[in-house]
Amino acid sequence: MVNVIGLGYIGLPTALMLASHGIDVVGTDYNRNLVKTLQSGHTTFKEDGLDELFHRAINAGIRFSDEYQETDIYIVSVPTPYDRFSKKVDAKYVVSAVEAVLKVCLAGAIIVIESTVSPGTIDKSVRPVIEAVGYKIGTDINLVHAPERIIPGNMVYELLHNNRTIGADDRAVGEKIKKLYAAFCEGEIVVTDIRTAEMTKVVENTYRAVNIAFANELAKICRYDKMDVYEIIRICNMHPRVNILQPGPGVGGHCISVDPWFLVGDYPHLANVINEAMETNDAMPAFVLHRIYDIMKEKGMKDLSRVGLYGLTYKENVDDMRESPTLQLLESQEKHLGYPLKVYDPLIIEDVVEHQYHNLDEFLEDIDFVVIMVAHDEIKKEQKRLENKIILDCRNVIEGAEVIHL
């Protein structure tokens, strides 16, 4: 039996995927309401293909509990927040999960850390916890790091098809966990050591963050000299060794906007390019806000209450708001003016900010200036309804000669 610890955006799909491919799985989470929701036959967040996977796993016998199970394989997939000031990862949830596992696990159990951590976290934070209770690592307990590589909006597909990395102290243990993931993963699975596995996950997201920062800086340069950044990127990407990502209003989610800071926090005197790139990306929501002010001035518009932000999530077609550029923009705006901008997102049902709308018609009726923060399919299909609006398209999805870009 495999006990998956943490049933959030990563842990739940992983548990469901294992169960639906013949593995005996119990999913554990300290949040009793979340567990009750799953036990009642409902998923806890929206994701393409997740409900179908959930029902397959239920039929296969997956169970959910708020208690840790007595078994020999654990997959720990709990959050790893970072401190915005120190830029260091906080491994307290991983440590707590491991401590709880040690109280119930069988001798020789394998603890797989799937949570994203900064390089060296398992050495600094996890091993001491195991050794403190008198267990010998490699005999009583085996450690593995198998970082996730999936993205909201495409989780089910990527779980099946993405390559994976397994880091282990012992090659034989690594191969055993490789076989476990190979029950569903069709991609290549590489076995290496734990420090390398920790580093590769962070480096992957850091590479993308630096690439996005370059695109964002390029957008500012092109706007300054009245050039089309999207056309320039399109032509440059025709080169076989060039792949520039797209500029945008900021970076959100819990990977690209967070993981690179682990390297900055751990190597503050070495990660200079990474630090500059992250500061560039983090400054984009405030940059968009100033663009709004400038455009209002150019258009002779004085009423900020007639400006609306389309999109609250951090990316298109998901209901995930973690580190959302829109929320960052609103936070920046509230520091300067007391009256917040209007906001609408078709995927956010609950009220999470002031002046939030839940109907596109009502939202458009009450604004003259729309800022496209997220490229949901809805706005692509309904873009004709934006006629006669001032449009700042931060995602390059709205067609028309009058559309304003970053």
Side-chain angles (χ1 to χ4, degrees), residues 309-329:
L309 306 177
Y310 179 91
L312 267 166
T313 62
Y314 88 88
K315 71 185 294 287
E316 67 277 4
N317 304 321
V318 301
D319 61 356
D320 189 345
M321 295 187 296
R322 291 176 297 173
E323 309 296 330
S324 159
T326 301
L327 294 179
Q328 295 176 52
L329 187 153

Side-chain angles (χ1 to χ4, degrees), residues 59-313:
N59 291 334
I62 192 172
R63 289 153 287 157
F64 302 103
S65 173
D66 58 5
E67 296 182 353
Y68 288 67
Q69 307 297 303
E70 182 181 333
T71 187
D72 59 354
I73 298 181
Y74 298 85
I75 296 178
V76 176
S77 187
V78 296
T80 49
Y82 79 104
D83 186 286
R84 292 192 176 191
F85 298 101
S86 69
K87 307 302 184 187
K88 292 183 179 294
V89 65
D90 186 346
K92 63 182 178 182
Y93 298 123
V94 172
V95 170
S96 294
V98 171
E99 289 174 336
V101 164
L102 295 176
K103 295 176 182 178
V104 299
C105 66
L106 297 173
I110 302 172
I111 302 177
V112 181
I113 307 298
E114 200 172 89
S115 303
T116 300
V117 295
S118 60
T121 296
I122 290 176
D123 283 348
K124 291 182 289 187
S125 301
V126 178
R127 293 186 194 276
V129 170
I130 297 171
E131 293 166 347
V133 298
Y135 285 136
K136 184 177 180 181
I137 297 174
T139 302
D140 304 312
I141 296 292
N142 294 285
L143 277 174
V144 173
H145 182 44
E148 55 83 15
R149 276 176 160 177
I150 58 178
I151 189 169
N154 202 31
M155 286 180 172
V156 175
Y157 178 87
E158 294 199 350
L159 270 172
L160 287 169
H161 299 285
N162 282 7
N163 300 330
R164 296 196 71 117
T165 304
I166 306 293
D169 294 327
D170 184 282
R171 181 80 188 191
V173 172
E175 291 294 336
K176 182 176 181 178
I177 297 304
K178 174 180 177 178
K179 185 176 179 180
L180 175 68
Y181 281 99
F184 65 83
C185 179
E186 300 173 13
E188 182 179 358
I189 303 176
V190 176
V191 178
T192 184
D193 62 272
I194 287 178
R195 284 294 295 268
T196 298
E198 288 175 320
M199 192 67 168
T200 53
K201 172 59 191 298
V202 174
V203 168
E204 288 165 2
N205 287 328
T206 300
Y207 167 78
R208 296 181 65 205
V210 172
N211 193 323
I212 292 170
F214 172 69
N216 286 334
E217 194 163 275
L218 187 61
K220 294 178 182 180
I221 292 171
C222 291
R223 186 177 71 83
Y224 180 83
D225 251 350
K226 297 180 175 58
M227 294 180 284
D228 185 342
V229 66
Y230 301 104
E231 177 72 355
I232 290 169
I233 290 175
R234 185 186 70 82
I235 294 172
C236 289
N237 283 348
M238 294 171 68
H239 190 289
R241 291 181 294 280
V242 175
N243 182 28
I244 305 170
L245 298 179
Q246 296 295 303
V251 177
H254 199 62
C255 290
I256 300 177
S257 65
V258 175
D259 293 359
W261 284 123
F262 296 170
L263 295 179
V264 175
D266 288 343
Y267 308 100
H269 304 299
L270 299 175
N272 299 315
V273 171
I274 299 169
N275 184 64
E276 289 293 329
M278 293 302 289
E279 289 184 353
T280 295
N281 289 337
D282 283 359
M284 287 306 293
F287 173 77
V288 173
L289 181 60
H290 286 292
R291 287 285 285 134
I292 292 170
Y293 296 154
D294 290 342
I295 293 166
M296 288 180 66
K297 185 176 180 180
E298 292 170 8
K299 301 293 184 179
M301 183 180 175
K302 297 182 179 180
D303 188 356
L304 190 64
S305 70
R306 298 292 296 179
V307 179
L309 306 177
Y310 179 91
L312 267 166
T313 62

Side-chain angles (χ1 to χ4, degrees), residues 364 368 370 382-391:
L364 294 177
D368 302 311
V370 59
E382 303 291 341
Q383 59 182 284
K384 288 186 178 180
R385 298 170 66 181
L386 303 182
E387 292 178 357
N388 302 319
K389 305 289 185 188
I390 300 170
I391 304 170

